[in-house]
Short mmCIF file of all heavy atoms in Angstrom, two decimals:
data_model
loop_
_atom_site.label_atom_id
_atom_site.label_comp_id
_atom_site.label_asym_id
_atom_site.label_seq_id
_atom_site.Cartn_x
_atom_site.Cartn_y
_atom_site.Cartn_z
N ARG A 1 95.85 5.75 132.72
CA ARG A 1 94.55 6.30 132.53
C ARG A 1 94.59 7.80 132.83
O ARG A 1 95.16 8.22 133.83
CB ARG A 1 93.51 5.62 133.38
CG ARG A 1 92.08 5.93 133.09
CD ARG A 1 91.12 5.04 133.85
NE ARG A 1 91.30 3.59 133.47
CZ ARG A 1 90.57 2.61 133.85
NH1 ARG A 1 89.53 2.88 134.67
NH2 ARG A 1 90.75 1.41 133.47
N GLU A 2 94.02 8.63 131.98
CA GLU A 2 94.09 10.01 132.16
C GLU A 2 92.72 10.69 132.15
O GLU A 2 91.72 10.24 131.51
CB GLU A 2 94.96 10.72 131.09
CG GLU A 2 94.32 10.66 129.67
CD GLU A 2 95.11 11.50 128.67
OE1 GLU A 2 95.96 12.36 129.06
OE2 GLU A 2 94.86 11.36 127.43
N PHE A 3 92.61 11.79 132.94
CA PHE A 3 91.37 12.55 133.02
C PHE A 3 91.08 13.27 131.69
O PHE A 3 91.97 13.83 131.05
CB PHE A 3 91.51 13.61 134.16
CG PHE A 3 90.50 14.63 134.20
CD1 PHE A 3 89.17 14.36 134.65
CD2 PHE A 3 90.72 15.93 133.77
CE1 PHE A 3 88.20 15.27 134.74
CE2 PHE A 3 89.76 16.89 133.74
CZ PHE A 3 88.47 16.60 134.30
N VAL A 4 89.80 13.26 131.37
CA VAL A 4 89.33 14.01 130.16
C VAL A 4 88.41 15.20 130.55
O VAL A 4 88.73 16.35 130.11
CB VAL A 4 88.59 13.06 129.18
CG1 VAL A 4 88.00 13.87 128.01
CG2 VAL A 4 89.47 11.97 128.69
N ALA A 5 87.39 14.92 131.36
CA ALA A 5 86.43 15.93 131.70
C ALA A 5 85.55 15.57 132.80
O ALA A 5 85.38 14.34 133.07
CB ALA A 5 85.53 16.30 130.49
N TYR A 6 84.99 16.47 133.56
CA TYR A 6 83.96 16.18 134.48
C TYR A 6 82.89 17.31 134.43
O TYR A 6 83.06 18.37 133.94
CB TYR A 6 84.44 15.92 135.92
CG TYR A 6 84.93 17.11 136.74
CD1 TYR A 6 84.06 18.08 137.18
CD2 TYR A 6 86.24 17.22 137.09
CE1 TYR A 6 84.53 19.17 137.96
CE2 TYR A 6 86.72 18.22 137.86
CZ TYR A 6 85.89 19.26 138.32
OH TYR A 6 86.34 20.26 139.04
N ILE A 7 81.67 16.91 134.95
CA ILE A 7 80.57 17.80 134.96
C ILE A 7 79.80 17.68 136.36
O ILE A 7 79.65 16.60 136.88
CB ILE A 7 79.52 17.43 133.79
CG1 ILE A 7 78.38 18.48 133.77
CG2 ILE A 7 79.08 16.07 133.91
CD1 ILE A 7 77.61 18.37 132.44
N SER A 8 79.44 18.85 136.91
CA SER A 8 78.80 18.85 138.17
C SER A 8 77.37 18.33 138.10
O SER A 8 76.84 18.13 137.00
CB SER A 8 78.79 20.28 138.77
OG SER A 8 78.02 21.13 137.92
N TRP A 9 76.74 18.11 139.29
CA TRP A 9 75.44 17.48 139.30
C TRP A 9 74.42 18.24 138.47
O TRP A 9 73.48 17.63 137.96
CB TRP A 9 75.00 17.27 140.80
CG TRP A 9 74.61 18.58 141.46
CD1 TRP A 9 75.47 19.36 142.21
CD2 TRP A 9 73.32 19.21 141.47
NE1 TRP A 9 74.77 20.46 142.67
CE2 TRP A 9 73.44 20.37 142.27
CE3 TRP A 9 72.05 18.86 140.92
CZ2 TRP A 9 72.40 21.24 142.43
CZ3 TRP A 9 71.02 19.71 141.18
CH2 TRP A 9 71.20 20.91 141.92
N SER A 10 74.47 19.60 138.53
CA SER A 10 73.55 20.42 137.88
C SER A 10 73.92 20.69 136.41
O SER A 10 73.06 21.18 135.60
CB SER A 10 73.42 21.74 138.56
OG SER A 10 74.60 22.53 138.40
N GLY A 11 75.10 20.35 136.06
CA GLY A 11 75.64 20.66 134.68
C GLY A 11 76.20 22.06 134.55
O GLY A 11 76.70 22.40 133.51
N GLY A 12 76.15 22.83 135.62
CA GLY A 12 76.64 24.15 135.62
C GLY A 12 78.18 24.36 135.62
O GLY A 12 78.62 25.36 135.19
N THR A 13 78.87 23.34 136.05
CA THR A 13 80.37 23.38 136.05
C THR A 13 80.93 22.26 135.21
O THR A 13 80.57 21.07 135.47
CB THR A 13 80.89 23.30 137.48
OG1 THR A 13 80.40 24.40 138.22
CG2 THR A 13 82.40 23.32 137.42
N THR A 14 81.73 22.62 134.23
CA THR A 14 82.39 21.59 133.46
C THR A 14 83.87 21.93 133.38
O THR A 14 84.24 23.04 133.25
CB THR A 14 81.88 21.53 131.98
OG1 THR A 14 81.95 22.83 131.41
CG2 THR A 14 80.37 21.12 131.99
N ILE A 15 84.73 20.87 133.55
CA ILE A 15 86.17 21.01 133.53
C ILE A 15 86.75 20.05 132.52
O ILE A 15 86.33 18.89 132.44
CB ILE A 15 86.70 20.75 134.94
CG1 ILE A 15 86.17 21.74 135.95
CG2 ILE A 15 88.29 20.80 134.89
CD1 ILE A 15 86.60 23.13 135.80
N TYR A 16 87.76 20.47 131.77
CA TYR A 16 88.40 19.72 130.73
C TYR A 16 89.90 19.69 130.88
O TYR A 16 90.50 20.68 131.26
CB TYR A 16 88.00 20.25 129.34
CG TYR A 16 86.56 20.28 129.05
CD1 TYR A 16 85.76 21.41 129.31
CD2 TYR A 16 85.95 19.26 128.39
CE1 TYR A 16 84.43 21.47 129.07
CE2 TYR A 16 84.57 19.26 128.11
CZ TYR A 16 83.81 20.35 128.44
OH TYR A 16 82.50 20.36 128.14
N THR A 17 90.50 18.65 130.48
CA THR A 17 91.94 18.60 130.30
C THR A 17 92.37 19.47 129.09
O THR A 17 91.53 19.63 128.14
CB THR A 17 92.46 17.14 130.17
OG1 THR A 17 93.89 17.17 130.32
CG2 THR A 17 92.12 16.58 128.88
N ASP A 18 93.51 20.06 129.14
CA ASP A 18 93.92 21.03 128.14
C ASP A 18 93.86 20.47 126.72
O ASP A 18 93.50 21.18 125.76
CB ASP A 18 95.33 21.57 128.37
CG ASP A 18 95.34 22.55 129.62
OD1 ASP A 18 94.25 23.05 129.96
OD2 ASP A 18 96.47 22.81 130.08
N SER A 19 94.17 19.22 126.56
CA SER A 19 94.29 18.64 125.24
C SER A 19 92.99 18.51 124.47
O SER A 19 92.94 18.32 123.28
CB SER A 19 94.99 17.24 125.31
OG SER A 19 94.24 16.35 126.01
N VAL A 20 91.86 18.60 125.20
CA VAL A 20 90.54 18.53 124.58
C VAL A 20 89.72 19.70 124.58
O VAL A 20 88.62 19.75 123.97
CB VAL A 20 89.71 17.24 125.16
CG1 VAL A 20 90.57 16.01 125.17
CG2 VAL A 20 89.26 17.68 126.53
N LYS A 21 90.21 20.74 125.26
CA LYS A 21 89.43 22.03 125.36
C LYS A 21 89.13 22.60 123.90
O LYS A 21 90.03 22.61 123.09
CB LYS A 21 90.18 23.05 126.16
CG LYS A 21 90.19 22.78 127.65
CD LYS A 21 90.97 23.83 128.37
CE LYS A 21 91.01 23.53 129.86
NZ LYS A 21 91.85 24.50 130.57
N GLY A 22 87.88 22.93 123.68
CA GLY A 22 87.47 23.46 122.42
C GLY A 22 87.07 22.45 121.42
O GLY A 22 86.46 22.73 120.40
N ARG A 23 87.30 21.15 121.71
CA ARG A 23 86.93 20.04 120.84
C ARG A 23 85.89 19.15 121.40
O ARG A 23 85.05 18.63 120.73
CB ARG A 23 88.18 19.28 120.44
CG ARG A 23 89.26 20.02 119.74
CD ARG A 23 90.33 19.13 119.19
NE ARG A 23 91.01 18.41 120.25
CZ ARG A 23 91.08 17.02 120.34
NH1 ARG A 23 90.52 16.30 119.45
NH2 ARG A 23 91.75 16.46 121.37
N PHE A 24 86.01 18.89 122.73
CA PHE A 24 85.12 18.00 123.42
C PHE A 24 84.16 18.74 124.30
O PHE A 24 84.49 19.79 124.82
CB PHE A 24 85.85 17.00 124.29
CG PHE A 24 86.70 15.95 123.67
CD1 PHE A 24 86.96 16.03 122.26
CD2 PHE A 24 87.23 14.88 124.37
CE1 PHE A 24 87.76 15.08 121.65
CE2 PHE A 24 88.00 13.91 123.78
CZ PHE A 24 88.31 14.05 122.37
N THR A 25 82.87 18.24 124.46
CA THR A 25 81.89 18.85 125.34
C THR A 25 81.25 17.69 126.16
O THR A 25 80.63 16.79 125.63
CB THR A 25 80.80 19.57 124.55
OG1 THR A 25 81.40 20.54 123.70
CG2 THR A 25 79.82 20.20 125.51
N ILE A 26 81.29 17.90 127.53
CA ILE A 26 80.61 16.99 128.37
C ILE A 26 79.25 17.54 128.78
O ILE A 26 79.11 18.77 128.92
CB ILE A 26 81.51 16.71 129.63
CG1 ILE A 26 80.92 15.54 130.48
CG2 ILE A 26 81.66 17.91 130.47
CD1 ILE A 26 81.78 15.04 131.61
N SER A 27 78.22 16.69 128.81
CA SER A 27 76.89 17.10 129.21
C SER A 27 76.21 16.00 129.91
O SER A 27 76.71 14.85 129.95
CB SER A 27 76.07 17.58 128.02
OG SER A 27 75.94 16.52 127.06
N ARG A 28 75.02 16.28 130.45
CA ARG A 28 74.32 15.23 131.17
C ARG A 28 72.79 15.49 131.06
O ARG A 28 72.32 16.66 130.86
CB ARG A 28 74.73 15.10 132.63
CG ARG A 28 74.37 16.28 133.53
CD ARG A 28 75.12 16.23 134.82
NE ARG A 28 74.73 15.07 135.66
CZ ARG A 28 75.40 14.54 136.63
NH1 ARG A 28 76.58 15.15 137.00
NH2 ARG A 28 74.99 13.52 137.30
N ASP A 29 72.02 14.38 131.14
CA ASP A 29 70.57 14.45 131.08
C ASP A 29 70.17 13.66 132.34
O ASP A 29 70.10 12.38 132.30
CB ASP A 29 70.01 13.92 129.85
CG ASP A 29 68.51 14.05 129.77
OD1 ASP A 29 67.79 14.20 130.80
OD2 ASP A 29 67.91 13.98 128.65
N ASN A 30 69.94 14.32 133.45
CA ASN A 30 69.58 13.60 134.70
C ASN A 30 68.34 12.78 134.57
O ASN A 30 68.12 11.83 135.33
CB ASN A 30 69.56 14.57 135.85
CG ASN A 30 70.94 15.13 136.18
OD1 ASN A 30 71.96 14.51 135.83
ND2 ASN A 30 70.99 16.30 136.88
N ALA A 31 67.36 13.31 133.87
CA ALA A 31 66.08 12.57 133.67
C ALA A 31 66.31 11.27 133.05
O ALA A 31 65.52 10.23 133.24
CB ALA A 31 65.05 13.38 132.90
N LYS A 32 67.33 11.08 132.24
CA LYS A 32 67.70 9.83 131.59
C LYS A 32 68.87 9.09 132.24
O LYS A 32 69.27 8.06 131.78
CB LYS A 32 68.07 10.08 130.15
CG LYS A 32 66.91 10.64 129.26
CD LYS A 32 67.35 10.78 127.78
CE LYS A 32 66.20 11.27 126.96
NZ LYS A 32 66.58 11.40 125.51
N ASN A 33 69.37 9.67 133.37
CA ASN A 33 70.52 9.10 134.07
C ASN A 33 71.71 8.81 133.11
O ASN A 33 72.28 7.80 133.09
CB ASN A 33 70.11 7.77 134.73
CG ASN A 33 69.39 7.99 136.02
OD1 ASN A 33 69.25 9.12 136.54
ND2 ASN A 33 68.91 6.94 136.62
N THR A 34 71.97 9.82 132.28
CA THR A 34 72.94 9.60 131.27
C THR A 34 73.89 10.80 131.15
O THR A 34 73.43 11.95 131.24
CB THR A 34 72.31 9.40 129.86
OG1 THR A 34 71.48 8.27 129.90
CG2 THR A 34 73.37 9.21 128.76
N VAL A 35 75.22 10.55 130.99
CA VAL A 35 76.20 11.60 130.74
C VAL A 35 76.76 11.34 129.36
O VAL A 35 76.88 10.20 128.96
CB VAL A 35 77.30 11.62 131.86
CG1 VAL A 35 77.99 10.29 131.89
CG2 VAL A 35 78.20 12.78 131.69
N TYR A 36 77.10 12.44 128.66
CA TYR A 36 77.55 12.37 127.23
C TYR A 36 78.94 13.01 127.16
O TYR A 36 79.32 13.91 127.89
CB TYR A 36 76.65 13.11 126.33
CG TYR A 36 75.21 12.57 126.38
CD1 TYR A 36 74.27 13.25 127.18
CD2 TYR A 36 74.81 11.51 125.63
CE1 TYR A 36 72.93 12.83 127.26
CE2 TYR A 36 73.48 11.04 125.74
CZ TYR A 36 72.56 11.69 126.53
OH TYR A 36 71.26 11.25 126.56
N LEU A 37 79.68 12.57 126.17
CA LEU A 37 80.93 13.24 125.74
C LEU A 37 80.87 13.44 124.20
O LEU A 37 81.02 12.46 123.47
CB LEU A 37 82.11 12.45 126.17
CG LEU A 37 83.50 13.10 125.79
CD1 LEU A 37 83.65 14.34 126.81
CD2 LEU A 37 84.66 12.22 126.08
N GLN A 38 80.62 14.67 123.74
CA GLN A 38 80.63 14.93 122.32
C GLN A 38 82.10 15.26 122.01
O GLN A 38 82.67 16.21 122.53
CB GLN A 38 79.76 16.14 122.06
CG GLN A 38 79.72 16.59 120.63
CD GLN A 38 79.16 15.65 119.69
OE1 GLN A 38 78.07 15.04 119.96
NE2 GLN A 38 79.79 15.35 118.60
N MET A 39 82.57 14.56 121.03
CA MET A 39 83.99 14.70 120.60
C MET A 39 84.02 15.13 119.13
O MET A 39 83.58 14.42 118.23
CB MET A 39 84.74 13.42 120.76
CG MET A 39 84.68 12.79 122.19
SD MET A 39 85.71 11.32 122.41
CE MET A 39 84.81 10.21 121.30
N ASN A 40 84.57 16.36 118.87
CA ASN A 40 84.71 16.90 117.58
C ASN A 40 86.20 17.00 117.18
O ASN A 40 87.07 17.02 118.03
CB ASN A 40 84.00 18.21 117.50
CG ASN A 40 82.51 18.16 117.71
OD1 ASN A 40 81.85 17.16 117.37
ND2 ASN A 40 81.96 19.21 118.34
N SER A 41 86.46 17.18 115.89
CA SER A 41 87.80 17.41 115.42
C SER A 41 88.75 16.36 116.01
O SER A 41 89.85 16.62 116.51
CB SER A 41 88.29 18.78 115.73
OG SER A 41 87.43 19.80 115.14
#
């Protein structure tokens, strides 16, 4: 199992593994208690 991305509680800090940088975007909607991973290309 390998790390892909993480996002801080506020959404202000996002970290990605090198292989997905520029293609994937992590985000969150705290009002909905939901975190997302948008995967492109």
Side-chain angles (χ1 to χ4, degrees):
R1 190 170 299 185
E2 68 171 345
F3 168 76
V4 176
Y6 72 69
I7 184 168
S8 63
W9 72 268
S10 68
T13 300
T14 56
I15 300 293
Y16 301 89
T17 192
D18 286 344
S19 63
V20 308
K21 287 179 181 177
R23 300 189 298 121
F24 291 11
T25 303
I26 189 170
S27 62
R28 66 193 298 163
D29 185 340
N30 289 340
K32 296 182 178 180
N33 283 352
T34 302
V35 61
Y36 304 96
L37 186 68
Q38 177 67 45
M39 305 185 295
N40 299 325
S41 301

